[in-house]
Amino acid sequence: MFSKEDNEILCRVGPGTPMGKTFRSMWMPFMLPEELPAPDCPPVRVRLLGEDLVAFRDSEGRIGLLDRYCPHRRVDLFFGRNEECGLRCVYHGWKFDVTGKIVDMPAEPENTQMKEDTRIKSYPVIEWGGVIWAYMGDQATMPAKPPEMEWGLVPAEARFITKRLQRTNYAQGVEGGIDSSHVGILHSHLDPEHPELPFRQRQISPNLAIPYLASDTAPRFFIRPTNYGMAIGARRNASDEEYYWRVTQYLAPFYTMIAPLREGRAFMGHAWTPIDDHNCWVFTMTWNSDRPLDADELDHGAVHSEVTDDGTYRPLLSSENDYGLDRVRQKLYSSTGIEGIGMQDTAIQESMGAIVDRSVENLGSGDAAIAGFRRSILKLAKERESSARLEIADNPQWFRVRSTAAILPHGTDFLEGTAAYTKVD
Ligand code: FES
Ligand SMILES: [Fe+2]
């Protein structure tokens, strides 16, 4: 059983909380470059780990991430002017550069000491791997690099990254991302020709080349803690001598990677970045390690959801319109009646409430990865409580792994059997 106390530790991400301190020890993706497309473009409101901030790109292309509220009399800097290498508060004109230094105070005497003594809170930002990253921890322990995720290492034309708002705590997203046992059920298609047959006889595998997903809906799970987080092996029967293995990766603190259905196809992963305790940014990554993505790979199964174009990244479908739920479609064609894998995941994760009460769940053997994730991240938070530095933050190369699917003979260790595919050179 997961206690209410542990659930609090798992889910609270604000300043001073154990998990908040853990996340502040690492670089985190929080924006797409398209949000700050050019020097001196409009500033953008940002909320991250429960802190209200503003991001802007200065005249030289550098990105600043500052406290949303002016240190003078707390005006919202979203209304500021982004000009000549700084963001200027429009109330009395205080102007800040990307490092948080005050470079102008027009309503104060020319040589005021206040200009040197006052600063605005600012966080370092870098652009790498198709996303913008922030580091919100102590300067003294700032990791040299973000984690070397494969989607960040491949050329831009070999990756596709989208962002959407999800109205849940980040942990619900991570748990959905590593929950291999829902794939053959939540995302299953149904044979429309025989609506009279029972549900389980009507399920069609998402890929006909991989019939085991639908034919064996109760895989056995094997959890392997690793230096980056955890590898999860889901084992299904393939033949009398072989198993079909799907290896899902959990990379601390909030990254997941799902196995491709077939070899040589694109990989898929997510980052579940906490906006605050009740909301997260879902970054969805599709990438190919060998070549540019083809059109089919760009949106296989609608994993990338459509969002509004007003900068809020709200999905077009949401709880307000029941995620487009169509009961006729549900009767005939799919498990949910909701279109697209991304929206099916969001709908069920949001339906649990913003912070699910894990103390009243009933976990089964299919939830081994979920329990493994909770153990893994609580251990990380403990490490952070006892030391100012996290080992994982200083070892970005540990993240050079990927997911895979393979058919292996009985008796083969799944990590050894797939080692050649899961390591990124
Ligand atoms: S409130 Fe910002 S300059 Fe006065
Ligand atoms: Fe899913």
Side-chain angles (χ1 to χ4, degrees), residues 363-383:
L363 297 193
S365 61
D367 300 305
I370 310 303
F373 153 68
R374 295 175 190 173
R375 275 195 304 275
S376 171
I377 196 160
L378 289 178
K379 194 167 152 235
L380 199 64
K382 268 217 171 78
E383 183 191 333

Short mmCIF file of all heavy atoms in Angstrom, two decimals, residues 363-383:
data_model
loop_
_atom_site.label_atom_id
_atom_site.label_comp_id
_atom_site.label_asym_id
_atom_site.label_seq_id
_atom_site.Cartn_x
_atom_site.Cartn_y
_atom_site.Cartn_z
N LEU A 363 -3.30 -2.33 -6.37
CA LEU A 363 -2.35 -2.66 -7.43
C LEU A 363 -2.29 -4.17 -7.66
O LEU A 363 -2.29 -4.94 -6.71
CB LEU A 363 -0.95 -2.14 -7.10
CG LEU A 363 -0.76 -0.62 -6.97
CD1 LEU A 363 0.73 -0.27 -6.95
CD2 LEU A 363 -1.44 0.15 -8.08
N GLY A 364 -2.21 -4.55 -8.96
CA GLY A 364 -2.08 -5.97 -9.32
C GLY A 364 -0.69 -6.27 -9.86
O GLY A 364 0.18 -5.39 -9.86
N SER A 365 -0.50 -7.49 -10.36
CA SER A 365 0.83 -7.85 -10.87
C SER A 365 1.17 -7.04 -12.12
O SER A 365 2.34 -6.82 -12.42
CB SER A 365 0.89 -9.35 -11.15
OG SER A 365 -0.05 -9.67 -12.15
N GLY A 366 0.16 -6.58 -12.84
CA GLY A 366 0.40 -5.74 -14.02
C GLY A 366 0.89 -4.35 -13.67
O GLY A 366 1.23 -3.55 -14.56
N ASP A 367 0.92 -4.02 -12.39
CA ASP A 367 1.33 -2.68 -11.95
C ASP A 367 2.74 -2.66 -11.36
O ASP A 367 3.11 -1.72 -10.66
CB ASP A 367 0.34 -2.15 -10.91
CG ASP A 367 -1.07 -2.06 -11.46
OD1 ASP A 367 -1.25 -1.42 -12.51
OD2 ASP A 367 -1.99 -2.65 -10.86
N ALA A 368 3.52 -3.71 -11.66
CA ALA A 368 4.87 -3.80 -11.07
C ALA A 368 5.72 -2.57 -11.43
O ALA A 368 6.49 -2.07 -10.60
CB ALA A 368 5.55 -5.08 -11.53
N ALA A 369 5.57 -2.08 -12.67
CA ALA A 369 6.38 -0.93 -13.09
C ALA A 369 5.97 0.33 -12.32
O ALA A 369 6.80 1.18 -12.00
CB ALA A 369 6.23 -0.71 -14.59
N ILE A 370 4.68 0.45 -12.04
CA ILE A 370 4.16 1.62 -11.33
C ILE A 370 4.78 1.65 -9.92
O ILE A 370 5.29 2.68 -9.47
CB ILE A 370 2.61 1.53 -11.21
CG1 ILE A 370 1.96 1.24 -12.56
CG2 ILE A 370 2.04 2.75 -10.54
CD1 ILE A 370 2.26 2.20 -13.65
N ALA A 371 4.75 0.48 -9.26
CA ALA A 371 5.34 0.40 -7.91
C ALA A 371 6.84 0.65 -7.98
O ALA A 371 7.41 1.33 -7.11
CB ALA A 371 5.05 -0.97 -7.31
N GLY A 372 7.48 0.14 -9.05
CA GLY A 372 8.94 0.33 -9.22
C GLY A 372 9.28 1.80 -9.40
O GLY A 372 10.27 2.30 -8.84
N PHE A 373 8.49 2.53 -10.18
CA PHE A 373 8.72 3.97 -10.38
C PHE A 373 8.63 4.71 -9.06
O PHE A 373 9.48 5.55 -8.73
CB PHE A 373 7.70 4.53 -11.39
CG PHE A 373 7.40 5.99 -11.21
CD1 PHE A 373 8.37 6.95 -11.49
CD2 PHE A 373 6.15 6.43 -10.76
CE1 PHE A 373 8.11 8.32 -11.31
CE2 PHE A 373 5.87 7.78 -10.58
CZ PHE A 373 6.86 8.72 -10.86
N ARG A 374 7.62 4.40 -8.27
CA ARG A 374 7.44 5.10 -6.98
C ARG A 374 8.63 4.85 -6.07
O ARG A 374 9.13 5.78 -5.42
CB ARG A 374 6.13 4.66 -6.33
CG ARG A 374 4.92 5.08 -7.16
CD ARG A 374 3.63 4.53 -6.57
NE ARG A 374 2.52 4.74 -7.52
CZ ARG A 374 1.31 4.26 -7.36
NH1 ARG A 374 1.00 3.54 -6.28
NH2 ARG A 374 0.36 4.50 -8.25
N ARG A 375 9.07 3.60 -6.00
CA ARG A 375 10.25 3.29 -5.17
C ARG A 375 11.46 4.06 -5.67
O ARG A 375 12.20 4.67 -4.89
CB ARG A 375 10.57 1.79 -5.26
CG ARG A 375 9.80 0.91 -4.29
CD ARG A 375 10.44 -0.47 -4.19
NE ARG A 375 10.59 -1.16 -5.46
CZ ARG A 375 9.62 -1.89 -6.03
NH1 ARG A 375 8.45 -2.04 -5.43
NH2 ARG A 375 9.81 -2.48 -7.19
N SER A 376 11.65 4.07 -6.99
CA SER A 376 12.83 4.68 -7.59
C SER A 376 12.88 6.19 -7.32
O SER A 376 13.91 6.72 -6.90
CB SER A 376 12.79 4.38 -9.09
OG SER A 376 13.77 5.09 -9.77
N ILE A 377 11.77 6.87 -7.51
CA ILE A 377 11.81 8.34 -7.37
C ILE A 377 11.83 8.75 -5.90
O ILE A 377 12.46 9.75 -5.54
CB ILE A 377 10.68 9.02 -8.19
CG1 ILE A 377 10.99 10.51 -8.35
CG2 ILE A 377 9.31 8.80 -7.59
CD1 ILE A 377 10.29 11.19 -9.47
N LEU A 378 11.20 7.97 -5.03
CA LEU A 378 11.27 8.30 -3.60
C LEU A 378 12.70 8.10 -3.09
O LEU A 378 13.18 8.86 -2.24
CB LEU A 378 10.28 7.45 -2.78
CG LEU A 378 8.80 7.80 -2.97
CD1 LEU A 378 7.92 6.86 -2.14
CD2 LEU A 378 8.50 9.26 -2.61
N LYS A 379 13.39 7.12 -3.65
CA LYS A 379 14.79 6.89 -3.29
C LYS A 379 15.65 8.08 -3.73
O LYS A 379 16.53 8.55 -3.00
CB LYS A 379 15.27 5.60 -3.97
CG LYS A 379 16.57 5.07 -3.43
CD LYS A 379 16.81 3.64 -3.91
CE LYS A 379 18.30 3.39 -3.98
NZ LYS A 379 18.77 2.93 -5.27
N LEU A 380 15.35 8.59 -4.91
CA LEU A 380 16.09 9.75 -5.42
C LEU A 380 15.86 10.96 -4.52
O LEU A 380 16.79 11.73 -4.21
CB LEU A 380 15.63 10.04 -6.84
CG LEU A 380 16.53 10.89 -7.72
CD1 LEU A 380 17.86 10.20 -7.98
CD2 LEU A 380 15.85 11.20 -9.06
N ALA A 381 14.60 11.15 -4.10
CA ALA A 381 14.28 12.28 -3.22
C ALA A 381 15.01 12.13 -1.88
O ALA A 381 15.46 13.12 -1.29
CB ALA A 381 12.77 12.38 -3.01
N LYS A 382 15.14 10.90 -1.41
CA LYS A 382 15.89 10.65 -0.16
C LYS A 382 17.36 11.01 -0.34
O LYS A 382 17.97 11.63 0.52
CB LYS A 382 15.80 9.16 0.22
CG LYS A 382 14.66 8.83 1.13
CD LYS A 382 15.08 7.74 2.15
CE LYS A 382 14.03 7.56 3.20
NZ LYS A 382 12.89 6.76 2.69
N GLU A 383 17.91 10.61 -1.51
CA GLU A 383 19.32 10.92 -1.80
C GLU A 383 19.52 12.44 -1.80
O GLU A 383 20.49 12.95 -1.26
CB GLU A 383 19.71 10.33 -3.17
CG GLU A 383 21.18 10.54 -3.53
CD GLU A 383 21.51 10.19 -4.99
OE1 GLU A 383 20.81 9.34 -5.58
OE2 GLU A 383 22.47 10.78 -5.53
#
